[in-house]
Amino acid sequence: MSMLKAYKFRIANKRYEFAHQVSRDLVNRFGLIAFEDLSIQNMLKNHCLAKSISDVAWNMLVTLTSYKAASAGSVVIPADPRNTSKMCSRCGIRVEKTLSDRVHNCPHCGLSVDRDWNAAINILRLGLQSVGIKTVEACPF
């Protein structure tokens, strides 16, 4: 085996082991896990992002978490990714952003929080709603 193949094999094994560790931790800690139902194949068509998306192995993490959750009695919910980072997690108003905007600033309710944190709250709310749990307030802030 060439040095390059051995290197790629070692990196792939590290990625696989890391995904196993993270998925096991998620299943051990949570009874409900919500993931954005992203179209990874479509995202890989963007040649600027394809290598980075492949490197983090999103599909592998979701797959491993799903099968471990099924055997542990946990639930994995795919959440519709539309507008999860644009919708304000406190008041629900849609705040337009570009991809370079890293902070969610709502002009309606004044919430200022990291864009990814705002999206995570919205994804969790969608996951809870999909199993019939109504959320009174979107954000505890």
Side-chain angles (χ1 to χ4, degrees), residues 123-137:
I123 293 164
L124 176 59
R125 184 176 57 247
L126 289 170
L128 290 170
Q129 288 173 351
S130 72
V131 294
I133 299 172
K134 301 230 186 268
T135 54
V136 177
E137 186 176 336

Side-chain angles (χ1 to χ4, degrees), residues 24 27-28 30-33 65-76:
R24 172 54 52 207
V27 170
N28 288 345
F30 305 105
L32 183 139
I33 303 158
T65 305
S66 296
Y67 94 75
K68 288 176 184 178
S71 66
S74 297
V75 178
V76 173

Side-chain angles (χ1 to χ4, degrees), residues 29-85:
R29 292 174 56 203
F30 305 105
L32 183 139
I33 303 158
F35 284 108
E36 263 185 312
D37 191 15
L38 298 171
S39 175
I40 305 298
Q41 291 305 316
N42 286 342
M43 294 170 72
L44 291 174
K45 292 176 184 175
N46 180 337
H47 64 84
C48 296
L49 298 174
K51 183 175 179 349
S52 296
I53 291 168
S54 295
D55 281 348
V56 296
W58 287 334
N59 274 343
M60 183 188 307
L61 178 63
V62 173
T63 302
L64 292 173
T65 305
S66 296
Y67 94 75
K68 288 176 184 178
S71 66
S74 297
V75 178
V76 173
I77 305 289
D80 185 351
R82 283 178 287 166
N83 300 317
T84 54
S85 61

Side-chain angles (χ1 to χ4, degrees), residues 36 84-85 97 99 101-104 113-123:
E36 263 185 312
T84 54
S85 61
K97 300 175 188 67
L99 286 175
D101 293 330
R102 300 312 309 158
V103 177
H104 169 80
V113 67
D114 181 84
R115 173 192 186 121
D116 294 333
W117 185 256
N118 180 65
I121 294 167
N122 286 328
I123 293 164

